[in-house]
Amino acid sequence: MKRKIICALTLMALCLTALPSFAEEADKGARDNPYRLGEACAFEAEVLSDGSPRRSASEEDYETVSLALTLDNYLSPAYFQENYGRLYKLDGAEAGAQITIANESGVAIVPQNAFWLTVESADGRQAAGYQLMDAEIAGNYGVTLEGGETGTLYKRFDAGEDAEPVYLVLTYCADGEQISRYFLLEERVVYPELASGSRGEDVVALQTRLIELGYLDDDADGIFGRNTEAAVRAARQAADFDDSGVADDDFQHALYAEDFPAAAAEQE
């Protein structure tokens, strides 16, 4: 009898231990479990006939719009200075977020009107930033997204040292209530394009990963030669890229991900 009680208590403890993982999954998008780069947040926003959020359940003339928002990149002040410092008079605090919005419904929306995007610092201070536009800087506001259409938009804001933003916050309305989802502002690594004749540490890293996955049977010598090119072609085809022998930014992002497919010989 004593052994049965101990077993029962042990089983209960194991079940209780497993509970946080379910809670963590349920709370995806919370401040302590934000969406990361490339993770899509699917949501249903209620919008009124004028395209604005349905803030009150008493409003009856509305549409429910199925959307998905993905944070593609955090554009840091250093990024803006490097790319636009010579063209515009910048103060060094300019920053932004590149997002992808998929309108999976049959209703056209103006994203800027249908929901809110703000930024929040580590201490909880929020800032509205600027309106959504179709370019990193000096773009068009009020862009319309038709039903079934996916678009890339940009949210600009200031990133001052006194309130440096940590999160991009999506807020939308459902059942007349406001719901917020958090995205961690992370800067996407941009990999240099590597091709036949390239040399250096970036090539070593590329070759090391190709060897690890079974596509390259050679040394990681830092020289992009014929064997490396053939390995890149094979890896690209395995991941549904074209059969180019060039390791571009998109391919390298996929290659270094944990779920990149191993070569057939490695899988056997």
Side-chain angles (χ1 to χ4, degrees):
M1 181 68 178
K2 186 176 181 179
R3 174 178 289 183
K4 290 182 178 179
I5 293 174
I6 293 174
C7 290
L9 290 173
T10 302
L11 180 60
M12 184 180 296
L14 289 173
C15 291
L16 289 174
T17 302
L19 284 177
S21 62
F22 290 105
E24 181 179 351
E25 183 67 25
D27 292 334
K28 185 64 178 178
R31 197 174 192 271
D32 57 354
N33 187 21
Y35 286 94
R36 306 294 295 269
L37 282 181
E39 294 182 338
C41 171
F43 63 102
E44 292 190 339
E46 295 174 351
V47 296
L48 301 177
S49 56
D50 63 359
S52 63
R54 182 189 179 222
R55 303 186 190 209
S56 171
S58 63
E59 298 280 0
E60 297 182 355
D61 186 13
Y62 70 94
E63 295 277 0
T64 299
V65 186
S66 297
L67 304 168
L69 189 149
T70 305
L71 175 61
D72 300 321
N73 202 7
Y74 167 55
L75 309 178
S76 66
Y79 176 89
F80 274 93
Q81 284 290 348
E82 180 180 351
N83 290 276
Y84 301 108
R86 295 181 180 180
L87 298 175
Y88 299 92
K89 187 177 181 180
L90 304 180
D91 60 15
E94 292 82 4
Q98 176 184 320
I99 62 172
T100 295
I101 303 175
N103 184 358
E104 300 170 351
S105 68
V107 180
I109 63 163
V110 176
Q112 171 61 36
N113 299 336
F115 52 81
W116 300 277
L117 280 179
T118 57
V119 290
E120 185 172 311
S121 61
D123 60 5
R125 284 183 285 176
Q126 288 204 6
Y130 301 95
Q131 296 184 56
L132 283 170
M133 58 184 177
D134 61 0
E136 294 178 350
I137 193 169
N140 297 316
Y141 301 107
V143 177
T144 298
L145 203 60
E146 300 292 339
E149 185 179 6
T150 297
T152 298
L153 296 176
Y154 300 87
K155 175 75 174 183
R156 277 188 52 218
F157 47 84
D158 291 331
E161 293 182 0
D162 57 335
E164 185 175 355
V166 176
Y167 304 101
L168 178 72
V169 185
L170 161 69
T171 302
Y172 59 95
C173 288
D175 296 325
E177 297 182 358
Q178 294 185 17
I179 301 171
S180 293
R181 294 289 180 262
Y182 284 74
F183 296 77
L184 186 64
L185 287 170
E186 301 173 282
E187 193 165 3
R188 184 181 185 271
V189 175
V190 178
Y191 292 102
E193 185 170 285
L194 304 175
S196 180
S198 297
R199 293 171 177 260
E201 293 300 318
D202 292 317
V203 177
V204 171
L206 174 70
Q207 292 171 325
T208 300
R209 181 60 171 158
L210 290 169
I211 292 169
E212 177 185 335
L213 293 170
Y215 291 102
L216 178 61
D217 183 15
D218 204 345
D219 296 326
D221 58 5
I223 302 173
F224 198 122
R226 291 182 179 179
N227 290 344
T228 301
E229 183 175 351
V232 168
R233 290 183 188 278
R236 289 181 67 96
Q237 289 178 308
D240 294 327
F241 286 84
D242 60 41
D243 63 354
S244 164
V246 176
D248 56 15
D249 175 63
D250 287 339
F251 170 69
Q252 290 184 67
H253 269 282
L255 182 70
Y256 293 122
E258 293 182 1
D259 59 352
F260 193 90
E266 285 290 310
Q267 295 172 341
E268 294 176 357

